[in-house]
Amino acid sequence: MNIIVQKYGGSSVADKEKLELICNKIIKEKNKNNDVVVVVSAQGKTTNNLIAKAEDYTNNNEFISKKDLDFLLSTGEMQTASLLSLMLNSKGVKAVCLTGAQAGIITDSNFGNAKIIDVVTSNLISYIEDNYIVIITGFQGMDKLGNITTFGRGGSDLSAVALAGALNAKKCEIYSDIDGIYSADPKVIPNSKLLKEISFDEMLEASSAGAKVLHNRSVNLAKECNIEISAKNTFRNSKGSKVRKNIKEDFNIHFITKKDDISKICIVGPMMLSNREAISKIFKIAHDENIEVYMISFSELAINIIVDTKKSKLFMEKLHEELIEKK
């Protein structure tokens, strides 16, 4: 099978006209005698709207169940997948829509930031062998108890790479509304350069430091599976950028990026560098609350941690409760 995995982000699937364009791209690829697997995000700002709705209905963010929130957020991608499948079938093209669970993506039970532990491809392959175009909801999977889980913002990239690896696809294409990967954010630096290629390691570092073009976990998985990623523009025929294994020495600077809306939390106490109990509690809280730690530094009197500003208050409250109030 000549399997191509294509992922389309939220801006690419935002309305009927854009889905129509994607239909044509998929059919064109299918007509090249390729088997096409498509991963889709929620349309436009759907995920943000669902989060806002959850907050409105609960009146207090602290009481939002992560499990219930994943259940709600998963419906955004389901809408996109079903609409795209309906459109393809109306054009006389065999297509089927599947959830991440139906596609065989098995995860742990860390709701909101789940980790993929297996991809069971038997259902997918049966549809591919029957000549279906398979449309799969990105950003989500299923734990061993059948609960819907999500991977965090940008997680559809991770879905696409995981499926490409499991299916031994010959291509993994990530489509968005920009031409590819630039040397800096073109909205910030107008003279930024489109990169023809970049190594897995450089892309992973840039993604973790704030570059939004690819999800950092998807790049890490692509590196582990040695899956070349092509980042392309949905709306223009550009060659895009390739993320691949570095096969030559190169001492040029390729990327400059920044991360907005981050806060530094400082935990002060004697002998912090040697306080294994405190360090263990800090990382347990970060794990339990799905708080990503971007940077950490130690001294004998302090631990400095950089996290998202929107989660900094919650992190401080939990840290204070565990490290000070319970003493």
Side-chain angles (χ1 to χ4, degrees):
M1 292 183 287
N2 294 319
I3 298 174
I4 307 293
V5 175
Q6 297 182 335
K7 177 262 175 176
Y8 292 95
S11 60
S12 298
V13 299
D15 53 41
K16 182 180 178 181
E17 289 71 27
K18 291 178 179 179
L19 282 179
E20 186 77 34
L21 176 62
I22 289 171
C23 281
N24 295 333
K25 291 176 74 72
I26 293 170
I27 292 170
K28 183 178 179 181
E29 196 66 61
K30 183 68 173 175
N31 289 337
K32 296 178 183 178
N33 293 320
N34 288 318
D35 298 302
V36 186
V37 174
V38 181
V39 176
V40 292
S41 298
Q43 291 182 289
K45 301 295 183 181
T46 298
T47 301
N48 289 338
N49 293 338
L50 289 171
I51 292 173
K53 194 169 188 176
E55 293 173 350
D56 179 48
Y57 275 55
T58 58
N59 296 318
N60 191 329
N61 296 355
E62 293 182 12
F63 296 106
I64 294 179
S65 161
K66 295 175 187 176
K67 177 176 176 292
D68 290 348
L69 186 60
D70 274 7
F71 194 96
L72 175 64
L73 297 184
S74 68
T75 63
E77 282 73 19
M78 290 180 193
Q79 291 179 55
T80 309
S82 59
L83 289 170
L84 183 56
S85 183
L86 285 166
M87 291 179 75
L88 285 166
N89 279 289
S90 71
K91 297 175 182 295
V93 179
K94 288 174 63 176
V96 63
C97 56
L98 302 176
T99 65
Q102 291 170 321
I105 299 177
I106 310 300
T107 75
D108 63 15
S109 300
N110 187 21
F111 298 103
N113 194 30
K115 177 183 177 182
I116 296 173
I117 57 178
D118 198 8
V119 181
V120 181
T121 60
S122 53
N123 193 32
L124 272 175
I125 290 173
S126 66
Y127 279 113
I128 293 170
E129 289 177 341
D130 285 340
N131 207 34
Y132 279 88
I133 292 169
V134 186
I135 316 296
I136 300 169
T137 56
F139 169 70
Q140 62 189 253
M142 175 184 70
D143 70 9
K144 291 184 177 180
L145 296 177
N147 298 305
I148 294 174
T149 59
T150 69
F151 308 148
R153 301 306 291 264
S156 293
D157 291 350
L158 181 60
S159 300
V161 172
L163 289 164
L167 292 167
N168 196 28
K170 70 176 185 179
K171 288 184 184 179
C172 182
E173 300 174 336
I174 306 293
Y175 285 93
S176 67
D177 57 0
I178 58 175
D179 286 346
I181 300 164
Y182 285 82
S183 56
D185 185 345
K187 295 177 182 177
V188 178
I189 309 295
N191 294 329
S192 59
K193 298 179 180 180
L194 180 66
L195 304 175
K196 292 183 179 179
E197 63 179 55
I198 186 170
S199 72
F200 288 128
D201 289 333
E202 289 171 317
M203 191 68 248
L204 179 58
E205 190 70 33
S207 296
S208 299
K212 298 176 182 178
V213 65
L214 290 173
H215 193 288
N216 60 344
R217 286 170 60 193
S218 72
V219 179
N220 185 59
L221 184 58
K223 177 186 175 182
E224 289 182 5
C225 300
N226 196 24
I227 300 168
E228 182 178 296
I229 300 174
S230 295
K232 298 183 177 183
N233 193 320
T234 306
F235 311 110
R236 300 200 311 182
N237 290 323
S238 62
K239 292 184 178 180
S241 307
K242 295 185 183 299
V243 184
R244 61 198 301 182
K245 184 177 180 180
N246 193 6
I247 56 174
K248 61 181 179 181
E249 282 193 308
D250 185 352
F251 299 101
N252 294 318
I253 304 300
H254 294 139
F255 218 108
I256 299 174
T257 189
K258 67 183 181 70
K259 186 167 183 63
D260 298 320
D261 301 320
I262 56 176
S263 297
K264 183 177 80 169
I265 293 176
C266 185
I267 304 164
V268 180
M271 302 298 291
M272 289 302 298
L273 188 62
S274 306
N275 193 335
R276 295 183 180 180
E277 181 183 359
I279 294 169
S280 176
K281 288 179 178 179
I282 291 165
F283 281 102
K284 184 178 187 305
I285 292 167
H287 175 270
D288 291 345
E289 300 300 329
N290 287 335
I291 295 171
E292 188 168 359
V293 176
Y294 296 110
M295 189 175 292
I296 184 167
S297 65
F298 294 86
S299 71
E300 284 296 349
L301 291 175
I303 299 176
N304 295 290
I305 304 172
I306 295 178
V307 298
D308 285 322
T309 296
K310 63 184 179 181
K311 290 206 170 184
S312 60
K313 182 176 181 294
L314 172 64
F315 198 24
M316 284 187 66
E317 290 171 347
K318 296 293 184 180
L319 287 168
H320 191 275
E321 177 185 346
E322 190 66 33
L323 300 177
I324 297 177
E325 294 175 33
K326 289 186 177 181
K327 286 295 185 181

